[in-house]
Amino acid sequence: MLHLFVGKEPWFRAKRYGLGAGFPIRWQGWVLLASYILALAGIGRLAAIPGSVAQIAAFLVFLGVTTAFIIIVRKRTEGGWEWRWGDRR
């Protein structure tokens, strides 16, 4: 099953305008996006616990999860991340 995640095919379409990635184009991209959203929901529940330790932990976990998500999306976007001005036809 690991071979489904280590291939070189892109998981996300490049944005037409601007910098970054658009919607997922493969199921792996949808799984990654859904996992990120679920992780954010869990982090929100952690942040709701009273006390500064839980809130600091939630913030640090948020930074780690978001950094990992951005790195993976950037590596799996077709054509990479570059500034785009629309279709060049």
Side-chain angles (χ1 to χ4, degrees):
M1 176 116 167
L2 185 60
H3 70 281
L4 297 173
F5 291 98
V6 295
K8 297 294 181 193
E9 66 274 348
W11 296 352
F12 295 89
R13 187 164 314 283
K15 289 176 70 172
R16 182 176 292 174
Y17 295 96
L19 179 71
F23 285 109
I25 55 174
R26 299 220 190 293
W27 69 267
Q28 293 97 329
W30 287 107
V31 168
L32 180 67
L33 182 60
S35 300
Y36 179 67
I37 291 170
L38 287 173
L40 291 182
I43 292 168
R45 291 189 56 128
L46 177 62
I49 297 172
S52 60
V53 174
Q55 293 174 351
I56 291 171
F59 179 70
L60 293 175
V61 171
F62 167 77
L63 285 179
V65 168
T66 301
T67 300
F69 177 74
I70 290 172
I71 290 170
I72 294 170
V73 170
R74 186 172 180 158
K75 287 185 178 209
R76 293 301 187 149
T77 300
E78 67 179 356
W81 281 15
E82 61 183 40
W83 191 264
R84 291 183 171 78
W85 294 98
D87 292 334
R88 295 182 183 231
R89 297 179 192 182

